[in-house]
Amino acid sequence: MSAARLAVRAAGTVPMLVGGGPDRPRGKGDGMSPRTTTSSSGKRSVSDYTTPGRIVVIVLAVLTLIFIVENTHDTRIRLIIPEVVMPLWLALLAMWVIGAVCGAYVMRRRARR
């Protein structure tokens, strides 16, 4: 139980509902909606769309494209017995997909516990 709930129980007070309740469901205008900044014309500025996370994703996407263009030569890959020749970027992409699937499987099993 959280410290706030314990404090409410100890004080014997009833917490005040903010923005909702049995008569009024939460929604627009309840003070719980995310804030958006708009200019006087009602349009969002460029700085609203450029968050640090989006910048990192764009940089990684550009670096990935550069990597693909630079690594188009073929490489030999031996998988137990057969030997396969394929572009290096395709082999690395396949390993990334396999790793992502394995990671998603582990995270999903961990979330169920």
Side-chain angles (χ1 to χ4, degrees):
M1 196 176 284
S2 69
R5 287 186 181 181
L6 290 173
V8 167
R9 279 194 173 177
T13 60
V14 177
M16 188 172 118
L17 293 175
V18 178
D23 299 334
R24 195 179 107 177
R26 290 185 180 194
K28 281 190 168 182
D30 63 1
M32 298 300 287
S33 300
R35 293 184 182 190
T36 56
T37 56
T38 56
S39 63
S40 59
S41 65
K43 295 181 181 178
R44 289 186 173 198
S45 67
V46 174
S47 63
D48 291 337
Y49 293 107
T50 54
T51 63
R54 288 181 180 161
I55 291 171
V56 168
V57 168
I58 290 170
V59 168
L60 287 175
V62 168
L63 288 174
T64 301
L65 289 175
I66 292 170
F67 178 81
I68 289 170
V69 170
E70 292 291 324
N71 292 295
T72 56
H73 62 278
D74 288 344
T75 187
R76 291 181 186 190
I77 299 172
R78 186 168 177 151
L79 181 63
I80 303 174
I81 294 174
E83 189 172 291
V84 180
V85 178
M86 65 172 48
L88 177 62
W89 68 268
L90 186 61
L92 292 174
L93 179 65
M95 290 301 104
W96 179 80
V97 168
I98 290 169
V101 168
C102 291
Y105 175 74
V106 168
M107 292 304 292
R108 185 173 176 171
R109 294 230 9 192
R110 190 174 289 174
R112 288 184 181 178
R113 289 184 181 180

